[in-house]
Amino acid sequence: LKDDSAGLLAEMLRQNYTLTTLVVNKNQFSCVAAKALSSALLGNDSLTELDLSWNKIRGKGAEALGKMLAVNTGLINLNVGFNGLDGIGTAAFIKAIKTNDHIVNLNLINTRFAGSQCKELAKSLASNTTLKILKMGNNPLKEADLEILQSGLAASSLHILGLEDIPMGRGLYERLTKFEKEHGIVIHYGNSGGNQRKRPMTALTLVLDELSLRILASWCPSCLRKIRRKQSSNSRGVQRWS
């Protein structure tokens, strides 16, 4: 779908008050489409889920979506991931987080969210009372940015924070995992392909353990069965064998 189709969708949203989910990801929507849809959603409170990920929404179009979210009273789940929202767009979403009291799940993965905006985001998160899931992975954030962001998490309503594909050292990782336990927030680390909550070496160890077991199975199936039984009875998970 291209921008002209978005105009038709916008007109439908102005007249339809029964549609609750709209998935239009992986299209060719640009700023024109984003502005049209944002304008229509200003007066629509029936749509609760909107997926605009993997489009070409940037700059003014992203800003229009952010301003719409600031006043919209219907959307609960919004996905704008993998759009180059840029600074003006992400700034509008930061302001929206501060004022919106309906959004529960917001996906900002790979949106060019700048580290310099983490201070304002931390303030907005501390003010929001409904947002439970925020996905921030694959953005150009540094450890210092994450330290600043953490300052707003304790007072936030977040249950899950996604930081996949954002590099961090062991020291920060350990501080964040301690923070998780103290405040009941789940933080996703690692890369988005799996083993998200494991340090790289831990994930590698699990893979090598499983590979070793498969090699063992090729020459001693009965040995593997014994190991599997021991694993299932071990509440700590996979046991290391040498």
Side-chain angles (χ1 to χ4, degrees), residues 91-145:
F93 275 92
I94 291 173
K95 292 179 181 178
I97 291 173
K98 189 172 186 177
T99 59
N100 184 289
D101 58 359
H102 288 78
I103 192 71
V104 173
N105 184 352
L106 180 59
N107 188 327
L108 294 175
I109 293 176
N110 196 12
T111 52
R112 299 181 185 174
F113 193 99
S116 59
Q117 296 175 305
C118 282
K119 185 175 181 179
E120 290 303 315
L121 176 59
K123 293 178 181 178
S124 291
L125 288 174
S127 299
N128 187 286
T129 59
T130 61
L131 187 63
K132 305 300 181 186
I133 303 173
L134 177 62
K135 299 176 181 179
M136 293 285 296
N138 204 12
N139 279 297
L141 302 180
K142 299 179 180 179
E143 287 201 7
D145 304 324

Side-chain angles (χ1 to χ4, degrees), residues 210-229:
E210 185 61 29
L211 180 60
S212 298
L213 292 179
R214 291 183 183 182
I215 294 173
L216 176 64
S218 66
W219 62 270
C220 184
S222 61
C223 295
L224 179 64
R225 286 194 292 271
K226 291 179 181 179
I227 292 173
R228 290 300 191 195
R229 284 197 295 270

Side-chain angles (χ1 to χ4, degrees), residues 67-216:
K67 289 182 176 180
M68 174 276 297
L69 182 62
V71 298
N72 180 276
T73 58
L75 285 174
I76 295 175
N77 301 308
L78 177 59
N79 186 350
V80 292
F82 295 91
N83 285 284
L85 302 185
D86 295 324
I88 187 175
T90 51
F93 275 92
I94 291 173
K95 292 179 181 178
I97 291 173
K98 189 172 186 177
T99 59
N100 184 289
D101 58 359
H102 288 78
I103 192 71
V104 173
N105 184 352
L106 180 59
N107 188 327
L108 294 175
I109 293 176
N110 196 12
T111 52
R112 299 181 185 174
F113 193 99
S116 59
Q117 296 175 305
C118 282
K119 185 175 181 179
E120 290 303 315
L121 176 59
K123 293 178 181 178
S124 291
L125 288 174
S127 299
N128 187 286
T129 59
T130 61
L131 187 63
K132 305 300 181 186
I133 303 173
L134 177 62
K135 299 176 181 179
M136 293 285 296
N138 204 12
N139 279 297
L141 302 180
K142 299 179 180 179
E143 287 201 7
D145 304 324
L146 298 179
E147 296 273 14
I148 293 172
L149 181 59
Q150 181 185 338
S151 66
L153 295 181
S156 76
S157 58
L158 282 184
H159 289 177
I160 298 175
L161 174 63
L163 297 177
E164 299 92 340
D165 298 302
I166 297 178
M168 67 178 70
R170 181 173 180 176
L172 177 58
Y173 170 83
E174 292 179 345
R175 290 194 295 275
L176 287 176
T177 53
K178 180 181 179 181
F179 182 86
E180 288 182 84
K181 295 176 182 179
E182 293 174 347
H183 298 278
I185 297 176
V186 175
I187 301 178
H188 290 173
Y189 310 95
N191 63 45
S192 52
N195 287 316
Q196 295 174 351
R197 293 179 49 72
K198 305 295 182 184
R199 288 195 296 262
M201 285 307 299
T202 304
L204 179 60
T205 297
L206 293 177
V207 172
L208 292 176
D209 281 343
E210 185 61 29
L211 180 60
S212 298
L213 292 179
R214 291 183 183 182
I215 294 173
L216 176 64

